Amino acid sequence: MKKQLLVISALMLVGTLASCGGGNHNPGAVSDSTVNPSTTSAETTSEGTSTASEGTSTTSEFTPEVTYPLLTVHLYQRYVDNDCSASLKKQFEDELVNQKAAVTKLNWVMGTGAQNEGVADYSADLGTYDAAHPAETIDVVLGAKANFAEDSYIVKNFATLKKADGSGNVTMSTTNGETTKTDRYIWIRNNTANLEALKVLLKGIVDYDWPEPVDPTSETTSEEPTSETTSETTSEETPSETTSETTSESEPVVLPALTVHLYAKFVNSTCSGELKAKFTKYLTDNNITITSLAWELGTETGKGSLYATEVENYDKAHTDATADVLLGIKGGVSGTYITDNFSIAKVKGNDVLMTTTSDSQGTNADRYIFVRNGSANDDAIGVLVLALGENLN
């Protein structure tokens, strides 16, 4: 990664980053009640978690021009209630009708964990489901977002859907009761055999057009190579410009010392280790070195104002290495040492969110990243926000 990118990221931080039916992050299209709904032969299991639909887009007046194989969709019940599930399913079925298509069988599966089930347990549930349905394993997961461990079932077997230009994850809206999230990800099984049916699903719920592969010969077919061109590209030439540019891209970047302090009420020791591992992996992947990294898990488990006092005391005891970044806070710090010395990290004007887990508070996907005002370590802070921030697009 070039130093320029880091500087730009840091400047963005200090300067600037809806329901199931809509939103402004590639939301699911609102189901049109004027579209003739598809009739399904629906069969609900005794557990009430899975709806299996045969010939999903078939109606008495509709004959599909193409039929795709079995498709299994799994939903994270913590962020998707039954009404939202039904709305998403209808959007998919409406799109099938729109494209004159059908799926041989649709398994639309609502998770069965507790409403506050953490991401680790949900990931394990996915593995359990697949083990119980080896011939009908999950193709796509809807409603999950938070940081899963690198060795979790979902990370090993699925990948988040990326925007067509590769700039970040596609997001969707989900609703559970009165809670609406507009930043959920879509997780697709690696090497799924049902990509064509998935394309229809994605078009229906987030209006996503799967990028078609580019034919590498399409731009050069119209021009025949000339003898002159051939003579200029003989094997005797060394592509020096390309080589030097590639080298500059991979040149190591060294950034100053960084101190990160974590709110113990919302970050337990396991979560702290996972966050640190994610950050250090990001550094390694991008050939970045932090001169000295202090990663301090606090001890305060009380309200935010008490944690602010803990941070103040820490800074007084470490005047040569005060905290640059605070992780795990959301509210309760107004008029304290934190609000006097730190600000919520922003990218394009949006507060940067992250996920933390603690024994007493469970998993929270709405924590903020607080960064010190006027820090001398803006570049290093910017890298950490890029590594841990979850709504940067």
Side-chain angles (χ1 to χ4, degrees):
M1 174 181 291
K2 291 184 177 179
K3 183 68 173 289
Q4 286 177 304
L5 176 58
L6 305 180
V7 174
I8 291 172
S9 300
L11 290 175
M12 289 169 65
L13 294 175
V14 296
T16 60
L17 207 29
S19 69
C20 281
N24 58 2
H25 297 281
N26 274 331
V30 178
S31 297
D32 184 353
S33 59
T34 64
V35 175
N36 191 19
S38 56
T39 59
T40 63
S41 173
E43 181 179 352
T44 306
T45 66
S46 58
E47 293 86 357
T49 61
S50 174
T51 300
S53 304
E54 305 290 344
T56 309
S57 64
T58 303
T59 72
S60 58
E61 301 176 358
F62 175 76
T63 301
E65 296 180 357
V66 59
T67 300
Y68 300 120
L70 161 80
L71 185 69
T72 300
V73 182
H74 204 279
L75 301 97
Y76 188 13
Q77 74 290 336
R78 181 174 183 178
Y79 294 105
V80 182
D81 61 17
N82 290 330
D83 290 340
C84 180
S85 171
S87 176
L88 292 170
K89 184 169 180 282
K90 185 177 186 301
Q91 288 173 233
F92 174 42
E93 292 175 337
D94 287 349
E95 186 59 31
L96 283 168
V97 173
N98 183 54
Q99 296 194 26
K100 298 181 179 180
V103 292
T104 304
K105 181 182 180 183
L106 173 63
N107 292 329
W108 194 271
V109 186
M110 176 71 80
T112 58
Q115 282 297 313
N116 62 349
E117 182 181 41
V119 293
D121 290 332
Y122 179 62
S123 177
D125 288 348
L126 298 177
T128 300
Y129 181 90
D130 279 352
H133 304 83
E136 300 184 356
T137 54
I138 300 164
D139 296 293
V140 60
V141 175
L142 304 180
K145 178 189 176 183
N147 292 331
F148 292 92
E150 291 295 326
D151 61 348
S152 64
Y153 185 84
I154 190 170
V155 171
K156 285 184 175 180
N157 293 277
F158 296 79
T160 54
L161 177 67
K162 302 297 182 183
K163 294 180 181 178
D165 61 3
S167 61
N169 292 315
V170 172
T171 54
M172 64 176 292
S173 297
T174 63
T175 299
N176 191 337
E178 297 181 356
T179 301
T180 295
K181 296 288 185 179
T182 60
D183 59 355
R184 301 298 91 189
Y185 296 157
I186 298 170
W187 295 77
I188 295 176
R189 179 174 291 279
N190 301 330
N191 302 316
T192 175
N194 301 334
L195 181 58
E196 295 307 313
L198 272 173
K199 291 179 182 179
V200 181
L201 173 74
L202 299 175
K203 182 64 176 177
I205 66 174
V206 289
D207 195 22
Y208 180 88
D209 293 310
W210 193 273
E212 296 299 326
V214 178
D215 183 355
T217 65
S218 61
E219 295 183 2
T220 58
T221 303
S222 60
E223 295 185 11
E224 294 294 331
T226 64
S227 58
E228 181 179 349
T229 302
T230 304
S231 65
E232 291 181 357
T233 57
T234 59
S235 59
E236 296 178 1
E237 284 200 57
T238 303
S240 56
E241 293 185 8
T242 302
T243 303
S244 62
E245 183 177 347
T246 303
T247 302
S248 65
E249 287 285 340
S250 61
E251 288 178 357
V253 175
V254 179
L255 299 177
L258 184 70
T259 299
V260 182
H261 203 282
L262 302 92
Y263 189 11
K265 181 176 181 178
F266 292 97
V267 183
N268 61 21
S269 58
T270 299
C271 180
S272 173
E274 291 172 349
L275 292 172
K276 185 178 180 183
K278 185 174 183 180
F279 178 46
T280 53
K281 181 179 185 300
Y282 187 93
L283 294 174
T284 300
D285 290 347
N286 291 279
N287 206 7
I288 303 170
T289 298
I290 300 290
T291 304
S292 176
L293 175 62
W295 195 272
E296 301 290 337
L297 177 58
T299 59
E300 183 54 62
T301 57
K303 56 187 179 181
S305 59
L306 296 177
Y307 176 60
T309 300
E310 180 179 24
V311 174
E312 182 178 12
N313 291 336
Y314 179 89
D315 283 353
K316 289 178 179 177
H318 302 82
T319 54
D320 59 339
T322 55
D324 297 296
V325 181
L326 308 178
L327 303 180
I329 313 168
K330 183 181 181 182
V333 294
S334 297
T336 66
Y337 180 82
I338 289 176
T339 51
D340 288 342
N341 294 275
F342 296 80
S343 298
I344 298 173
K346 294 180 181 292
V347 173
K348 297 180 181 178
N350 298 322
D351 296 338
V352 177
L353 299 176
M354 64 175 296
T355 296
T356 62
T357 300
S358 72
D359 298 331
S360 62
Q361 302 296 320
T363 297
N364 289 270
D366 59 355
R367 302 298 92 184
Y368 296 146
I369 299 176
F370 278 74
V371 299
R372 181 175 290 278
N373 300 329
S375 171
N377 301 337
D378 277 349
D379 285 349
I381 291 173
V383 173
L384 182 137
V385 172
L386 290 174
L388 302 184
E390 296 177 350
N391 62 322
L392 304 183
N393 305 304

